[in-house]
Amino acid sequence: MPLEKIHNVSGTIVHVPGDDIDTDRIIPARFMKCVTFDGLGEFLFYDMKFHENGDLKDHPLNEPQFKNSSIMLTGSNFGCGSSREHAPQSLFRAGFRAIIAGNFAEIFFGNSINLGMPCVSVTEEDRNLIAGLITENSELNASLDILESKIKVGDHSISFDLRSGARDSLLNGTWDPLDELLQARQTVEKLHQNLSYT
Amino acid sequence: MDKKNLFEKVWKAHSVGLLANGQTQLFVGRHLIHEVTSPQAFGMLREKNLPVRYPERTFATVDHIVPTNEVQEPYSDPLADAMIKELRRNCKDFGITFFDTDTGKQGIVHVVGPEQGLTQPGMTIACGDSHTSTHGAFGAIAFGIGTSQVRDLLATQTMALGKLKVRRIEVNGELNSGIYAKDVILHIIRKLGVNGGTGFAYEYAGDVFESFSMEERMTACNMSIEGGARVGYVNPDKKTFEYLKGRPYSPKEDQWDESVAKWMSFASDVGCAYDDVVKINASDIEPTITWGINPSQAIGINDSIPDPQNADSTDKASLQEAIDYMKLSPGSSIKGTPIDVAFIGSCTNGRISDLEEVASQLNGHKVKDGLKAIVVPGSQIVSKIAEEKGIDKIFRNAGFEWRSAGCSMCLAMNPDKLIGDQLCASSSNRNFKGRQGSPTGRTMLMSPTMVAAAAITGVITDSRELFPKK
Ligand code: SF4
């Protein structure tokens, strides 16, 4: 089945401030006791959103105006820590379709692209600008143009960085590499035979 | 002839070709799986009706969720129980070797691989766990991967990956006495930062890595990912080959010499190029401890907790966040900080040499009253060797709980968890907020010997002062 070509992601932005937000914070390990990813959206940022007794904490994701946001704005080194795909999966299943940050941890970035969820890097100045715009108007619609590498928000057009390989795979609908990997069957078989170890 | 480093040679030997997006299709010779990140991948295969292409290249064990104080199934946690059963079913259905709890070989995947001789020089290895870099201690290129890539490997034995740059990190000179591999890697991460390694493979070298045992090399390579490097390795040498000789999956006697020659050929050529070189003085390294909420927030035992007021404006906020979370006061000495729990174990420091080293220091000492101290061997084999040598008794007599093998309190997916804001002196590798199972729990990472010293005195202690020089 051909994958969707991702040219554009639009929606409202929720700002989750902080640098070095690690995968344990995105999805605490105790919620990884599951054999499918299906219900993970519910546990996104769980310990940031809830007190131990279940009461709501002060967190942007708890604010009603951001309930349907599909773009997250955050700090630098987002997604550091574990290789758990549970982290991008919980974001995706909570309705997020793009992440804007200073930069991303590598495994997290790769895992997210494989889901068709662009992770784009924006300078601190521009992140502050976007954050300011949302504070003024939480309903502001933003649109990520993957081809142009620009975020259009309000009257502003802000450049972002996205590795060209990742960008192309989103645009061409080849962000999930499995089909392409399956094609090289014969070369793979040869390598399998020739390697000195099984 | 072109001089090449190990990373480039192994990469080339396993490259299938370039993909449309510019990434390489890389053949992965050994694939290790565990219960947490594999069931969804098997689910995707079933959905697409795909077989496992080369089941003989995948090996499984169970580590993250296994309780370490009950062996009887079903486990009291039904979710954990479902996960181990799911892995059993998948291994059976797809013909994958499983080091299950009743084989005597179960343990943390990064302890089991080397122990079985599955980890060898010149290999590509991958596992759905970020600490797969551990296997680099043998001169393998070992990647931590996500679940979709686990699926890709099961279906094709290959994955899509961008080539990394290589940074050589040389630690030269001699370590002071009482300094361990854990101190060396915490020191490196402290210097280079949590994302200093982004885009790099780390090649560890120099006097210190040459003199390290294989287990010490594993401790260091294990934490490469905490410095942002996807891969960390040490070039193979005589110690590597000695360690591998006679292990269940090592080459047999008649193929031995040929294998060693092959392995040697992967080592970095003298005078080859690197994208970056960093040199570190061994004598600068002190017993190193993390005080904050990421592994680069580390200081020497004689240092004080940093004061955010004196930091660059970019660091201020994150230092303050860490200080607040850890409930520490800026400028105070880290020595003397009271702890509640002591944990010795994990894929960083749960090997036999770690346990032996601590046990050799314990004579006469007792864990401080009221403090919880647990020792969790990295594998059933580690546990067995330790019990044969009486190490379990030494720990028990000193007041430690002696558990069965697993990840345990490293990430607290089993019943071993911190409670409230307890502070844990831990030999594991991550001090993230909530890492050890309580959303407000606090972790300080350090060597197993430093954990033991803290367990005895009840406060963060310089182990060199407590334990006499040997
Ligand atoms: S011991 Fe900790 S870091 Fe190592 S594999 Fe287990 S959970 Fe991961």
Side-chain angles (χ1 to χ4, degrees), chain A residues 84, chain B residues 34 63-64 108-111 129-132 134 222 226 343 345-348 406-413 428-430 435:
Chain A
R84 60 182 73 155
Chain B
H34 60 83
D63 48 12
H64 288 66
I108 306 174
V109 60
H110 311 309
V111 177
D129 185 282
S130 32
H131 295 95
T132 308
T134 312
N222 174 275
E226 306 308 334
F343 169 60
S346 88
C347 59
T348 318
C407 295
S408 174
M409 211 182 255
C410 174
L411 95 166
M413 275 186 80
S428 57
N429 48 42
R430 283 196 171 138
R435 170 73 177 185

XYZ file of all heavy atoms in Angstrom, chain A residues 84, chain B residues 34 63-64 108-111 129-132 134 222 226 343 345-348 406-413 428-430 435, ligand 1:
255
model
N 13.239 3.735 22.812
C 11.852 3.274 22.792
C 11.022 4.043 21.764
O 10.876 5.252 21.822
C 11.220 3.393 24.183
C 11.184 4.796 24.735
C 10.591 4.833 26.136
N 11.526 4.278 27.111
C 11.514 4.603 28.409
N 10.621 5.456 28.875
N 12.381 4.074 29.233
N 14.171 -8.374 23.092
C 13.629 -8.630 24.431
C 12.136 -8.312 24.420
O 11.590 -7.866 23.409
C 14.393 -7.833 25.494
C 14.329 -6.353 25.285
N 13.273 -5.592 25.716
C 15.185 -5.502 24.657
C 13.479 -4.337 25.372
N 14.627 -4.243 24.721
N 14.217 -9.480 30.150
C 14.993 -8.801 31.181
C 14.254 -7.631 31.842
O 14.217 -7.515 33.054
C 16.335 -8.305 30.622
C 16.210 -7.562 29.288
O 15.071 -7.228 28.899
O 17.238 -7.300 28.636
N 13.594 -6.798 31.048
C 13.060 -5.556 31.604
C 11.966 -5.768 32.656
O 11.933 -5.088 33.662
C 12.514 -4.658 30.488
C 13.582 -4.047 29.637
N 14.396 -4.791 28.823
C 13.985 -2.765 29.496
C 15.250 -3.972 28.205
N 15.018 -2.738 28.600
N 20.061 -9.726 31.400
C 19.955 -8.485 30.636
C 20.603 -8.733 29.273
O 21.709 -9.271 29.194
C 20.657 -7.324 31.355
C 20.126 -7.188 32.788
C 20.462 -6.022 30.585
C 20.876 -6.162 33.620
N 19.912 -8.327 28.251
C 20.326 -8.678 26.883
C 21.791 -8.295 26.614
O 22.511 -9.028 25.943
C 19.318 -8.058 25.875
C 19.250 -6.548 25.970
C 19.600 -8.493 24.461
N 22.248 -7.185 27.186
C 23.633 -6.758 26.918
C 24.655 -7.478 27.791
O 25.850 -7.308 27.623
C 23.754 -5.245 27.096
C 22.690 -4.503 26.368
N 22.413 -4.731 25.030
C 21.790 -3.587 26.784
C 21.390 -3.978 24.682
N 20.993 -3.279 25.720
N 24.173 -8.241 28.731
C 25.076 -9.099 29.493
C 25.106 -10.472 28.817
O 26.162 -11.095 28.673
C 24.613 -9.211 30.968
C 25.506 -10.169 31.752
C 24.602 -7.834 31.626
N 17.017 -1.524 22.030
C 17.368 -0.997 23.354
C 18.581 -0.102 23.174
O 19.544 -0.473 22.515
C 17.717 -2.153 24.300
C 17.964 -1.635 25.703
O 19.061 -1.095 25.956
O 17.053 -1.737 26.532
N 18.518 1.100 23.767
C 19.559 2.074 23.450
C 20.952 1.696 23.957
O 21.940 2.201 23.460
C 19.173 3.448 23.966
O 18.417 3.329 25.128
N 21.033 0.803 24.936
C 22.363 0.465 25.457
C 23.053 -0.652 24.696
O 24.013 -1.257 25.179
C 22.276 0.188 26.956
C 21.873 1.427 27.691
N 20.565 1.687 28.013
C 22.583 2.512 28.053
C 20.493 2.883 28.581
N 21.693 3.409 28.610
N 22.578 -0.893 23.490
C 23.200 -1.889 22.621
C 24.649 -1.529 22.323
O 25.462 -2.392 21.981
C 22.369 -2.009 21.320
O 21.013 -2.218 21.689
C 22.816 -3.160 20.454
N 26.865 -1.240 24.200
C 27.700 -2.088 25.059
C 28.555 -3.064 24.250
O 29.730 -3.288 24.545
C 26.796 -2.944 25.988
O 25.827 -2.101 26.586
C 27.614 -3.655 27.046
N 28.778 0.957 27.081
C 27.362 0.955 27.456
C 26.768 2.352 27.487
O 25.654 2.592 27.032
C 27.238 0.290 28.830
C 25.849 0.346 29.427
O 25.472 1.326 30.059
N 25.064 -0.690 29.196
N 24.437 7.788 26.314
C 24.145 8.868 27.254
C 24.909 10.140 26.877
O 24.615 11.227 27.354
C 24.475 8.462 28.690
C 23.825 7.168 29.171
C 22.333 7.105 28.965
O 21.680 8.158 28.904
O 21.824 5.986 28.811
N 21.434 0.725 44.801
C 21.164 -0.300 43.784
C 22.454 -0.653 43.033
O 23.076 0.208 42.423
C 20.106 0.223 42.787
C 19.933 -0.640 41.560
C 19.543 -1.972 41.673
C 20.165 -0.127 40.282
C 19.383 -2.771 40.531
C 20.006 -0.915 39.146
C 19.608 -2.242 39.268
N 23.645 -3.092 40.039
C 23.160 -3.961 38.977
C 23.142 -3.208 37.661
O 23.844 -2.206 37.516
N 22.355 -3.681 36.698
C 22.136 -3.110 35.365
C 23.152 -3.561 34.343
O 24.180 -4.152 34.676
C 22.111 -1.565 35.387
O 23.423 -1.064 35.228
N 22.869 -3.224 33.069
C 23.772 -3.633 31.985
C 25.057 -2.821 32.003
O 25.999 -3.128 31.288
C 23.073 -3.524 30.634
S 22.480 -1.870 30.255
N 25.112 -1.772 32.817
C 26.355 -1.012 32.953
C 27.288 -1.688 33.948
O 28.482 -1.847 33.683
C 26.068 0.423 33.463
O 24.928 0.920 32.796
C 27.238 1.339 33.223
N 17.975 -9.509 36.187
C 17.060 -8.680 35.403
C 17.501 -7.228 35.428
O 18.531 -6.888 36.015
N 16.700 -6.381 34.787
C 17.017 -4.942 34.747
C 16.646 -4.261 36.058
O 17.270 -3.290 36.465
C 16.242 -4.267 33.635
S 16.703 -4.816 31.999
N 15.581 -4.749 36.661
C 15.172 -4.309 37.993
C 15.071 -2.801 38.123
O 14.465 -2.128 37.296
C 16.159 -4.902 39.006
O 15.924 -4.437 40.301
N 15.730 -2.268 39.135
C 15.557 -0.867 39.489
C 16.245 0.102 38.534
O 16.180 1.316 38.727
C 16.047 -0.637 40.903
C 15.282 0.463 41.584
S 15.896 0.755 43.221
C 14.625 -0.006 44.182
N 16.865 -0.416 37.478
C 17.432 0.495 36.483
C 16.314 1.279 35.812
O 16.460 2.463 35.544
C 18.239 -0.275 35.451
S 18.802 0.784 34.113
N 15.201 0.619 35.509
C 14.086 1.363 34.942
C 12.745 1.027 35.579
O 11.719 1.563 35.181
C 14.016 1.226 33.415
C 13.113 0.150 32.795
C 12.926 0.392 31.347
C 13.646 -1.183 33.117
N 12.790 0.137 36.571
C 11.620 -0.063 37.422
C 10.359 -0.456 36.659
O 9.282 0.054 36.912
C 11.365 1.194 38.264
N 10.513 -1.353 35.690
C 9.307 -1.906 35.061
C 8.864 -3.158 35.806
O 7.885 -3.784 35.441
C 9.572 -2.260 33.596
C 9.409 -1.072 32.673
S 9.568 -1.535 30.951
C 7.948 -2.222 30.621
N 23.473 2.200 37.791
C 22.886 2.089 36.450
C 23.329 3.258 35.572
O 24.338 3.903 35.857
C 21.363 2.022 36.570
O 20.880 3.157 37.265
N 22.588 3.578 34.524
C 23.092 4.524 33.534
C 22.202 5.735 33.271
O 22.542 6.587 32.466
C 23.332 3.776 32.223
C 22.131 2.922 31.850
O 20.994 3.342 31.981
N 22.396 1.706 31.402
N 21.041 5.801 33.896
C 20.157 6.933 33.622
C 19.613 7.525 34.907
O 19.106 6.798 35.763
C 18.991 6.527 32.726
C 19.462 6.398 31.309
C 18.336 6.383 30.315
N 18.927 6.464 29.002
C 18.540 5.766 27.944
N 17.519 4.953 28.048
N 19.155 5.912 26.804
N 12.950 8.047 36.494
C 13.505 6.847 35.867
C 13.328 5.593 36.708
O 13.101 4.504 36.211
C 14.998 7.092 35.576
C 15.779 5.861 35.153
C 15.426 5.432 33.746
N 16.234 4.298 33.317
C 16.193 3.791 32.095
N 15.396 4.295 31.180
N 16.934 2.769 31.776
S 19.662 -2.664 32.654
Fe 18.625 -0.705 32.350
S 19.640 0.262 30.642
Fe 20.224 -1.867 30.672
S 18.819 -2.873 29.241
Fe 17.948 -3.014 31.291
S 16.661 -1.248 31.503
Fe 17.962 -0.860 29.755
